[in-house]
Amino acid sequence: MANLVTHHASEDIDDIIQTLEQDGCLVIEGLLDDDEVNPLQSHMHSTFEKIPDCNGNVYGHETKRIGTLFSRHETFQKMAVMNPIIEIMDHFLLQSCNDFQVNLTQATSKGPAEAKRALRQDDLIFPFRHPEQEVMLTCLWAIDEFTEDNGAMVLVPGSHRWERSESVAPSYENLPAEQTAKAVMKKGSVLIYLGSIYHCDSANKSNERRCSAMISYSLGWLRQAENSYLAYSKEAVSTMPERLRHLLGYFAHQPNLGSINGIDPIDYFLNNKSENQLIEFIPEMMYKSLRNEHLN
Ligand SMILES: O=C(O)CCC(=O)C(=O)O
């Protein structure tokens, strides 16, 4: 099996980023301590008791899923904004946008007998020819321990450096075992992988359900997988920390994406501002190309 590097949260951010550049995936442990993860674990297990299994080859047939995590437990709010997560997103996503956002929040409870699933790249949810830069990254938090047997994710470290192919994805069965790694990790750890990394779910061969929480991030000018403007009420958004509101997408991305009457969306939504003098905020670089077009 390939090596999936595990860093501790206390390690230097440059070393963590270097591993992600090299391998495209890693585990960070020590981000949540037992006092934080244990209440979250019991809350999610009881939440899932009322949720039906999904039905689909991608979602699974013995797996339960729920979204809107930031209104389900306050620890999810903390997880979304903590370092080194944000520093990692800064590094990978700010290469291609001015602001990034949360793409999806989804907790999963994988039941015994859930089958393994096909190898895939998460960033294919965005249907365009993919650039060299990453457009999304996923954080998969272990709410329960991920073991060899309970359906831990399988990744192909380094596959983000493979040439992108328009044809079908490689099949897991055809990959040599030494190219794949299983994300075995303690509860409270997080697996982080780039959107271009090939990965798949292994089968849950244990007798117990296993819970995880996914928080993924994407470029600020892309459509979000979870519609966060509808997911949370005005009251819920008003009590959220400013950084989290921003991550939900309450910002105008340069030059003017997502603005309303020239107003920042959070002022429109929470502060009852509805009209404004439209102040241009097109970046200097764009002015130059517009001017050049005019002169030619
Ligand atoms: O293994 C997990 O807990 C979640 C992974 C998953 O379901 C997914 O990638 O969609």
Side-chain angles (χ1 to χ4, degrees), residues 65 108 110 117 120 140 146 151 153 201 210 212 214:
R65 294 172 189 267
T108 298
K110 194 181 270 196
R117 268 172 285 146
R120 61 189 185 277
L140 185 67
F146 281 36
M153 188 168 279
D201 305 78
R210 195 269 288 140
S212 69
M214 180 180 285

Side-chain angles (χ1 to χ4, degrees), residues 210-221:
R210 195 269 288 140
C211 185
S212 69
M214 180 180 285
I215 304 178
S216 65
Y217 304 78
S218 61
L219 301 181
W221 45 264

Side-chain angles (χ1 to χ4, degrees), residues 241-271:
E242 203 181 324
R243 186 68 183 100
L244 184 63
R245 287 180 197 163
H246 201 91
L247 280 174
L248 282 179
Y250 289 100
F251 62 87
H253 191 283
Q254 281 189 2
N256 56 2
L257 308 178
S259 63
I260 309 157
N261 280 341
I263 296 165
D264 186 293
I266 204 68
D267 281 337
Y268 187 89
F269 189 48
L270 293 187
N271 304 330

